[in-house]
Amino acid sequence: SSEVLEAIENVIQDVLKSLAQKKAPVLTLANRSDWRNIEFKDSVGLQMMPHCTTKQIRSDCPRSAPKFALMLKILSMIYKMVQSNTYATKRDIYYSDTLLFGSQSVVDNIINDISCMLKIPRRSLHILSTTKGFVAGNLSYTEEDGTKVNCTCGATAVTVPSNVQGIKNLISHAKFMLIVEKDATFQRLLDDDFCNKLSPCIMITGRGIPDLNTRLLVRKLWDSFKIPIFTLMDADPHGVEIMCVYKYGSVSMSFEAHHLTVPSIKWLGLLPSDLERLNIRKDVLIPFTKQDQNKLASIQKRPYIACQPMWKKELEIMAASKLKAEIQVLTSLSSDYLSRVYLPNKLQFGGWL
């Protein structure tokens, strides 16, 4: 915490120095959304380069002055929380002055900018994000406050903890982990008692694009158990993108890649080639939209696809067919095809990339 306080004090000192010299204070931070600032490393994923282009939040420019003021406001809130060892969620910060902040996304963006500017992970700033992910299966752990949590597969899942760094005493006999894109599929597998039927496993869903806590938990489980991690996604560009976030990280959070990515993650399904192999009827597939085409084209250009020839092939199959499929498409074969046939066969015979 002394490191966080010192980092904030340095920022404020620079502001005071500028004012003393009758100059307009400026906050400088790395440009988080620029692909030119990102390098791809097999072992880490997408990470921010040490020397990257920066942008300035100026206090004397009408466009950036409001943001400058809000950054100082949130910095002061963080400073007080770290000093008093209290925590707040991003929603708490927004609701402390909704008129001032205007929207939740403004707060979220500023918090990420501050984290990037100070080069300090968000959880060390005492800001918790609300969690939307679920975990189930062969796993138990103790939360920071001493609460014991057991995720062993019942029909209900456990919410991903909001302070992943604080959990300890992790115990699991799982043979693998399965990351499921969607909540509906995750619940279906829970109902089918998938975690226990095949071999003990841990299932996680970020319910779409994963939030920070879900990604931190996947990484923590990987660090703790070093078991294979598979992903089960829709066979569409959006599903591929979500899988890439778990595996290689995202551009906007590349400054934290070391804590968030798991490059050893495997693509289990639903593969575009599976649709042909299983003779899925064309009438249950969904035609691409223009947006799908653009997203797929942008994914195909990303640096990590070049080092994944098998992925490249799958994306080419998808691009050529201009058709996408949700995991639920397997119910056209039989209602429990996913848990009874598809996943057991894939896991047994190594049908992943």
Side-chain angles (χ1 to χ4, degrees):
S1 60
S2 58
E3 185 195 334
V4 182
L5 296 176
E6 194 183 326
I8 296 174
E9 284 160 9
N10 290 341
V11 170
I12 302 305
Q13 269 176 331
D14 287 346
V15 168
L16 293 174
K17 263 187 214 154
S18 299
L19 290 170
Q21 295 166 357
K22 302 221 173 348
K23 288 182 187 160
V26 168
L27 298 174
T28 305
L29 53 125
N31 202 339
R32 286 190 299 122
S33 56
D34 192 339
W35 271 94
R36 288 170 303 183
N37 287 338
I38 311 295
E39 59 182 349
F40 170 67
K41 254 191 158 162
D42 255 1
S43 58
V44 183
L46 300 174
Q47 61 175 9
M48 196 168 263
M49 292 179 190
H51 308 292
C52 57
T53 59
T54 55
K55 59 179 178 179
Q56 292 191 324
I57 313 293
R58 303 189 61 86
S59 59
D60 60 349
C61 157
R63 261 185 57 211
S64 61
K67 181 165 183 177
F68 179 90
L70 291 180
M71 283 183 78
L72 289 192
K73 163 85 175 164
I74 292 179
L75 276 169
S76 79
M77 292 170 88
I78 293 169
Y79 194 85
K80 283 179 193 145
M81 288 193 298
V82 174
Q83 262 185 330
S84 60
N85 196 25
T86 53
Y87 287 82
T89 64
K90 295 187 296 184
R91 283 182 78 74
D92 295 334
I93 290 175
Y94 168 59
Y95 281 110
S96 69
D97 199 333
T98 52
L99 280 175
L100 178 70
F101 293 119
S103 79
Q104 181 70 59
S105 60
V106 168
V107 172
D108 297 355
N109 205 5
I110 286 176
I111 288 165
N112 285 342
D113 278 343
I114 287 174
S115 174
C116 187
M117 175 176 77
L118 301 178
K119 297 191 170 43
I120 290 171
R122 191 165 75 193
R123 57 205 163 276
S124 303
L125 303 177
H126 284 230
I127 293 169
L128 304 171
S129 49
T130 40
T131 296
K132 63 180 183 127
F134 288 132
V135 58
N138 193 299
L139 173 70
S140 61
Y141 56 84
T142 308
E143 289 203 349
E144 199 177 27
D145 62 2
T147 310
K148 288 187 165 57
V149 178
N150 188 355
C151 308
T152 305
C153 228
T156 52
V158 173
T159 308
V160 167
S162 57
N163 188 352
V164 175
Q165 292 315 97
I167 67 174
K168 49 191 183 293
N169 307 331
L170 287 93
I171 300 167
S172 176
H173 304 292
K175 297 283 181 276
F176 64 92
M177 246 167 82
L178 183 66
I179 299 171
V180 183
E181 177 185 349
K182 283 186 179 149
D183 192 25
T185 310
F186 179 85
Q187 296 296 342
R188 177 70 214 240
L189 289 171
L190 266 188
D191 294 343
D192 289 348
D193 197 22
F194 176 75
C195 300
N196 298 317
K197 272 187 184 156
L198 197 62
S199 58
C201 73
I202 300 169
M203 283 201 316
I204 289 189
T205 179
R207 298 162 76 192
I209 294 170
D211 57 291
L212 195 66
N213 293 329
T214 305
R215 290 174 62 191
L216 281 168
L217 183 62
V218 169
R219 176 58 195 249
K220 183 151 191 139
L221 293 173
W222 161 248
D223 286 338
S224 305
F225 304 121
K226 292 284 188 282
I227 51 178
I229 303 179
F230 302 108
T231 57
L232 181 62
M233 305 280 151
D234 288 342
D236 66 9
H238 190 63
V240 175
E241 171 117 272
I242 289 170
M243 172 172 57
C244 292
V245 169
Y246 283 108
K247 187 174 169 81
Y248 295 124
S250 58
V251 175
S252 64
M253 293 299 286
S254 57
F255 62 95
E256 265 205 68
H258 287 272
H259 312 287
L260 291 172
T261 59
V262 185
S264 63
I265 283 174
K266 305 281 182 244
W267 185 5
L268 186 72
L270 190 62
L271 303 177
S273 59
D274 288 341
L275 303 175
E276 277 174 31
R277 187 174 59 80
L278 299 171
N279 289 323
I280 302 284
R281 300 195 321 269
K282 286 276 193 288
D283 63 324
V284 292
L285 301 178
I286 307 159
F288 261 27
T289 61
K290 187 82 188 105
Q291 204 180 0
D292 290 325
Q293 273 174 312
N294 294 344
K295 187 178 273 301
L296 183 57
S298 98
I299 292 171
Q300 286 175 303
K301 289 194 196 93
R302 287 185 196 166
Y304 42 71
I305 297 298
C307 70
Q308 289 279 6
M310 302 297 280
W311 283 33
K312 209 171 158 206
K313 263 194 196 138
E314 293 292 333
L315 298 184
E316 282 161 7
I317 292 172
M318 198 189 289
S321 75
K322 293 194 172 60
L323 292 169
K324 56 184 181 174
E326 297 187 332
I327 298 160
Q328 283 81 348
V329 81
L330 295 175
T331 55
S332 69
L333 300 171
S334 78
S335 63
D336 58 351
Y337 192 87
L338 176 66
S339 58
R340 187 176 52 84
V341 183
Y342 183 82
L343 289 174
N345 281 348
K346 282 254 167 179
L347 291 160
Q348 198 179 344
F349 300 113
W352 57 78
L353 306 179

